[in-house]
């Protein structure tokens, strides 16, 4: 330590470097402790997930293209909404089905089921409410639309739309899942709830 002409105390470079490292370590310990406390704070709670967060997660998964035995279907530009105990999704679609093509907008309604053993969320009781062609004309009774409904219903209800922990980095996933166990996810009164 040195004192300059003005009377200010100056520390040596080594001591100053040591203090910076110590401060950084203390900040890191605080952040980790805060993360663990916040995880335990979330136990035994029911939380409403804002629609904007859900829309953001859905947007990251689209477009989705699925090849079936005699068809190829692409869904894109999804919009998610909640009413009552249902989730409503409208999305643009294009499909090539046994030599013919169809595209336009599709409207679906569904409920959700959370599998606690697999820690995955599924869409269930799916209903394809309306299928429009590119001109906005309803085509629900066409053979292509019927095939599209059948293919999508089977695929969507057996494929998870969310896997708990997939959004976290690998190093944080186990710590977060260890501290916060999801018991259920459900839709009620136009909102998605997560029960921990």
């Amino acid at each position: 330590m040195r004192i300059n002409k003005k009377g200010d105390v100056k520390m040596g470079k080594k001591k100053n470097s040591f203090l910076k490292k110590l401060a950084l370590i203390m900040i890191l310990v605080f952040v980790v402790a805060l993360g663990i406390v916040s995880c335990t704070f979330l136990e035994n709670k029911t939380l409403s997930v804002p629609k904007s967060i859900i829309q953001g997660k859905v947007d990251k998964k689209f477009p989705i293209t699925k090849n079936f035995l005699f068809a190829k279907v692409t869904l894109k530009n999804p919009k998610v909404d909640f009413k009552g105990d249902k989730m409503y999704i409208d999305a643009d679609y294009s499909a090539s089905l046994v030599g013919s093509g169809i595209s336009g907008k599709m409207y679906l309604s569904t409920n959700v089921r959370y599998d606690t053993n697999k820690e995955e969320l599924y869409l269930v009781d799916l209903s394809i409410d309306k299928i429009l062609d590119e001109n906005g004309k309803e085509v629900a009774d066409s053979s292509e639309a019927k095939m599209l409904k059948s293919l999508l219903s089977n695929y969507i209800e057996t494929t998870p739309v969310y896997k708990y922990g997939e959004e976290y980095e690998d190093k944080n996933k186990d710590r977060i899942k260890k501290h916060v166990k999801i018991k259920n996810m459900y839709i009620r009164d136009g909102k998605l709830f997560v029960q921990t």
Side-chain angles (χ1 to χ4, degrees), residues 50 55 118:
Q55 185 66 55
K118 294 181 179 178

Side-chain angles (χ1 to χ4, degrees), residues 28-85:
L28 288 173
V29 168
F30 177 74
V31 168
V32 168
L34 184 63
I36 291 171
V37 168
S38 66
C39 286
T40 56
F41 174 74
L42 292 174
E43 287 182 299
N44 299 317
K45 304 279 187 212
T46 300
L47 308 167
S48 171
V49 182
K51 189 171 90 171
S52 60
I53 290 176
I54 297 165
Q55 185 66 55
K57 298 284 184 193
V58 168
D59 289 342
K60 287 180 183 178
K61 291 193 172 257
F62 281 77
I64 295 173
T65 299
K66 180 66 180 158
N67 290 310
F68 298 97
L69 188 58
F70 297 106
K72 179 179 178 180
V73 180
T74 299
L75 297 174
K76 58 185 178 182
N77 302 323
K79 300 292 178 248
V80 176
D81 199 8
F82 294 90
K83 292 178 189 157
D85 296 344

Side-chain angles (χ1 to χ4, degrees), residues 49-191:
V49 182
K51 189 171 90 171
S52 60
I53 290 176
I54 297 165
Q55 185 66 55
K57 298 284 184 193
V58 168
D59 289 342
K60 287 180 183 178
K61 291 193 172 257
F62 281 77
I64 295 173
T65 299
K66 180 66 180 158
N67 290 310
F68 298 97
L69 188 58
F70 297 106
K72 179 179 178 180
V73 180
T74 299
L75 297 174
K76 58 185 178 182
N77 302 323
K79 300 292 178 248
V80 176
D81 199 8
F82 294 90
K83 292 178 189 157
D85 296 344
K86 290 272 190 182
M87 177 168 59
Y88 293 86
I89 304 167
D90 62 273
D92 296 335
Y93 74 91
S94 60
S96 54
L97 309 161
V98 193
S100 65
I102 183 172
S103 64
K105 198 156 205 66
M106 181 180 298
Y107 297 85
L108 306 103
S109 58
T110 185
N111 208 322
V112 296
R113 177 183 60 83
Y114 185 71
D115 185 323
T116 53
N117 294 328
K118 294 181 179 178
E119 297 182 313
E120 296 174 339
L121 182 70
Y122 293 85
L123 301 180
V124 294
D125 303 325
L126 180 75
S127 171
I128 299 176
D129 302 323
K130 194 187 312 187
I131 299 176
L132 305 177
D133 66 12
E134 61 272 359
N135 299 319
K137 180 182 172 190
E138 192 158 352
V139 291
D141 294 331
S142 70
S143 59
E144 291 92 354
K146 288 177 183 177
M147 183 181 281
L148 187 62
K149 281 183 179 184
S150 175
L151 291 171
L152 286 177
S153 295
N154 291 332
Y155 173 72
I156 291 173
E157 289 196 354
T158 59
T159 305
V161 293
Y162 173 76
K163 295 179 183 182
Y164 181 46
E166 71 183 353
E167 72 273 19
Y168 302 114
E169 294 179 30
D170 287 338
K171 61 183 177 183
N172 293 326
K173 182 190 318 184
D174 293 334
R175 180 177 60 82
I176 291 168
K177 287 174 75 173
K178 179 181 174 185
H179 290 287
V180 181
K181 180 79 173 160
I182 293 181
K183 296 174 186 166
N184 197 11
M185 291 186 191
Y186 57 91
I187 301 168
R188 184 170 298 141
D189 300 326
K191 294 179 183 175

